[in-house]
Amino acid sequence: MPETTAQRSEAARKGAATHKAREREQEEHERERKRQEQIDRTSELSDEVLKSLESGSRVAIEAVRKFVDVVDEALPALPHGERPSRRREIVDAAMDMADRLVKTQYEFLRSVVQDAGTALSREEDEN
């Protein structure tokens, strides 16, 4: 009888080890699944940010183009060789404004992506 007890406890130990190994494997699989979800979310966010940045840039360029058309109609260009016209100053100011708007949007979106990356990193560390 002592052999039977020893054999059972050996089998129980092997079963418990197999069960623990399965649990570790499932936990690792779950961590990998969560990591992949975070990567997917980050990728989606990056794509959305890039699309937003591109869209904002196009809108700014189109707004400047329309503005220049209105200025061209209201203030005709001076003959070549004369000092810079009021028209040129206005158009240059509009271009500077559009450039600043696009840069501001870019900086804002970059900040959003950095904050999202930090948040995702914290989530990963907590898991």
Side-chain angles (χ1 to χ4, degrees):
M1 282 237 166
E3 289 181 4
T4 308
T5 305
Q7 289 172 350
R8 282 188 202 158
S9 61
E10 182 65 30
R13 276 186 257 140
K14 286 182 181 177
T18 303
H19 180 70
K20 287 181 182 179
R22 243 185 255 133
E23 284 180 350
R24 281 193 300 270
E25 187 178 304
Q26 288 174 342
E27 288 172 1
E28 181 60 33
H29 178 71
E30 183 64 19
R31 278 195 297 272
E32 183 59 33
R33 185 188 64 76
K34 286 182 179 180
R35 238 182 267 128
Q36 187 59 46
E37 284 179 4
Q38 289 174 340
I39 290 169
D40 292 346
R41 286 188 299 191
T42 303
S43 177
E44 288 172 13
L45 177 63
S46 295
D47 289 345
E48 290 174 16
V49 167
L50 289 174
K51 287 177 185 175
S52 179
L53 185 59
E54 182 181 356
S55 174
S57 297
R58 287 183 184 184
V59 168
I61 289 168
E62 186 58 32
V64 169
R65 193 174 289 145
K66 287 180 181 179
F67 180 80
V68 169
D69 289 345
V70 169
V71 169
D72 280 343
E73 288 178 22
L75 302 170
L78 294 176
H80 195 68
E82 293 188 21
R83 69 178 182 82
S85 67
R86 193 88 171 119
R87 177 187 166 281
R88 182 84 243 147
E89 291 172 11
I90 292 171
V91 169
D92 288 347
M95 294 297 288
D96 288 342
M97 179 189 67
D99 186 51
R100 282 191 297 252
L101 287 172
V102 170
K103 283 180 182 176
T104 301
Q105 181 186 26
Y106 173 78
E107 289 170 4
F108 171 75
L109 293 174
R110 186 178 58 166
S111 173
V112 167
V113 170
Q114 287 175 340
D115 291 346
T118 302
L120 289 173
S121 294
R122 267 192 244 129
E123 284 181 21
E124 186 175 305
D125 291 343
E126 290 172 1
N127 293 326

